[in-house]
Amino acid sequence: MIKAPDFDRKMLLLATSLARDAQNQTLLHAVLVALLDTLKVDGQEDGDQQKITLIRCMVRLVLQMMEEEGADLRRLVPILMSHLQAAHVVTSKVVKEGKELAFGNDLSWLWRSAYNAAVKGVGVWMENELTSMFGIASQLMEDSSAAAVLEPETDIDSHRVIASFAHVAGQYFATRDQPQSSIRTLGLRTFTSEIDKLVALAQKVMTSKENDQEEMKRMSHIARLGLIYKAEILSELQDWDGLINTLKSMEGMQYVLLTTYEAFADILVNSVPPRSPPVLSFLQWKNKECPVHVLYAGFETILRLSSDQGVMSVQKFSRWLRAICTILLSGGRDADRAKALAYTQQAIDLLKEHGDITDTESDQHYPDSERSWLLATAFNTGVQCTRSLQKPEAKEWFEVAIALCQFVAGSPRQKV
């Protein structure tokens, strides 16, 4: 019909009416698609409005077909996504051209339909389909926010954070399982910028809804996961400066929990320098590319931020402090030993406060093995300084060792 030389759009309108009267959804959908194709060619002044109206009709029709018993989802889901993607193409063009959006209500309906369809598809659709649908929903929400004449819809940012997270996480997991290639590396680098946008949007929602505890909990959880995913990506890409900067950027983020710092520590633990001191084997590092100075900077930042933000676990503190002191003392430099001495004195201050906690299951218990290690390290470092005729420094280390004796059961205080 469309290819006929005397084709008139009214013919399609008549076919639409006939298909609707006959309740033939397949035919009706085909006619609507053909009608949309004619609009793309005509280029009418109000063409964008007409396109969105038609797309909305097609989306509604496909959603109805998907609800029918025995619906062929493998065929219908891609069709639904293609229609919603077409809507994004139209709306993003209008936004870029700075035109007034005359179909704001239709766009609101479209992004909600895309989001709800993706939520219903969890556990039913293919994983790549879910990832794509959440991505399309996020794009439509972004279009809606950008085109809003007044304030955007009140709930749009919250839904956009969830949709963006589902999209980014789905893409990341799929890419992570792929074999090494330049395309995979490029994809991972792209995810870091997408995660930055996700975390920024989550923080925006938390700022605007600080009195909504449920929303705060949900947004903070997504933001924390985003930071951890970014750290994993940067570690794999060996972007060590980016990894440390991401860690430092968490300063002042009150929603960051101890588990977040533990995750960053685990990522560092799985990164071992090629010439790391043998005594660092207690950390069980695996990746042999991370430089020592990155490990030190990472653990030092973790220790400082977790302490400053009041989320510190004494048990974790003891492990992280041991890693820092081991790295410092392995270098043999005076400045590094001075830093290690300061950290050891910090451990004594902590032991004075928590040293009498005997419950080994408590996070506030300073492990006996770490106490013994501190004592042995302080004493041995004092001996080394004595042999190298650095008596003032040796005296300081022995004083630290004496102070540690009271926290180590059966320690040879008199010998020290």
Side-chain angles (χ1 to χ4, degrees), residues 313-319 359-365 367:
S313 159
V314 174
Q315 287 208 20
K316 297 296 180 183
F317 173 92
S318 68
R319 296 279 290 176
D359 181 8
T360 57
E361 298 298 321
S362 171
D363 276 344
Q364 302 308 309
H365 170 70

Side-chain angles (χ1 to χ4, degrees), residues 36-264:
L36 179 62
D37 290 338
T38 62
L39 286 176
K40 293 177 180 177
V41 175
D42 286 355
Q44 296 184 8
E45 227 177 272
D46 61 343
D48 292 333
Q49 174 68 67
Q50 293 184 33
K51 288 175 187 176
I52 289 296
T53 301
L54 274 175
I55 291 173
R56 177 170 177 171
C57 291
M58 289 188 289
V59 169
R60 186 187 297 275
L61 182 60
V62 174
L63 288 173
Q64 290 174 354
M65 295 166 69
M66 291 171 64
E67 292 294 330
E68 294 178 355
E69 188 176 352
D72 186 0
L73 295 181
R74 288 194 175 184
R75 180 180 68 86
L76 293 174
V77 171
I79 292 174
L80 176 63
M81 287 194 293
S82 67
H83 292 330
L84 291 166
Q85 185 62 42
H88 166 60
V89 171
V90 175
T91 54
S92 61
K93 180 177 77 71
V94 173
V95 170
K96 287 179 182 178
E97 293 175 352
K99 296 179 181 177
E100 184 176 344
L101 196 66
F103 43 84
N105 291 335
D106 292 323
L107 183 54
S108 176
W109 184 89
L110 284 168
W111 75 252
R112 291 178 189 278
S113 297
Y115 180 84
N116 291 333
V119 172
K120 287 183 180 178
V122 174
V124 180
W125 297 3
M126 301 288 287
E127 289 184 2
N128 63 320
E129 292 173 339
L130 275 175
T131 299
S132 298
M133 182 59 81
F134 276 117
I136 294 171
S138 177
Q139 289 174 331
L140 291 171
M141 292 180 211
E142 185 176 356
D143 293 339
S144 182
S145 295
V149 178
L150 300 176
E151 288 294 323
E153 297 169 85
T154 55
D155 60 343
I156 192 169
D157 283 341
S158 298
H159 286 95
R160 187 176 156 201
V161 168
I162 297 172
S164 298
F165 175 72
H167 175 63
V168 171
Q171 281 192 315
Y172 171 48
F173 293 147
T175 304
R176 191 172 60 179
D177 295 335
Q178 294 174 0
Q180 292 286 351
S181 68
S182 58
I183 296 176
R184 179 178 181 274
T185 300
L186 181 61
L188 290 175
R189 290 195 181 280
T190 302
F191 294 151
T192 59
S193 59
E194 291 186 14
I195 290 173
D196 287 339
K197 294 178 183 177
L198 170 66
V199 173
L201 185 59
Q203 290 175 337
K204 177 186 174 184
V205 174
M206 283 188 277
T207 301
S208 62
K209 298 191 176 183
E210 56 186 0
N211 294 325
D212 187 338
Q213 295 301 316
E214 282 299 316
E215 192 72 354
M216 288 287 289
K217 183 178 179 181
R218 184 161 46 243
M219 292 298 109
S220 61
H221 183 63
I222 289 175
R224 287 192 296 269
L225 287 176
L227 290 169
I228 293 170
Y229 291 162
K230 183 180 178 182
E232 288 180 347
I233 293 171
L234 293 172
S235 175
E236 181 167 349
L237 294 174
Q238 297 180 21
D239 184 355
W240 309 119
D241 290 339
L243 177 56
I244 297 302
N245 289 335
T246 299
L247 184 55
K248 290 180 178 179
S249 72
M250 291 158 55
E251 185 170 4
M253 294 182 180
Q254 297 302 319
Y255 58 85
V256 174
L257 302 179
L258 176 64
T259 51
T260 312
Y261 293 116
E262 289 179 13
F264 270 78

Side-chain angles (χ1 to χ4, degrees), residues 337-349:
R337 282 200 308 275
K339 289 181 180 179
L341 181 63
Y343 276 114
T344 307
Q345 290 168 338
Q346 189 176 349
I348 292 174
D349 293 337

Side-chain angles (χ1 to χ4, degrees), residues 264-279:
F264 270 78
D266 287 342
I267 292 169
L268 289 169
V269 162
N270 289 327
S271 305
V272 58
R275 295 189 183 89
S276 61
V279 289

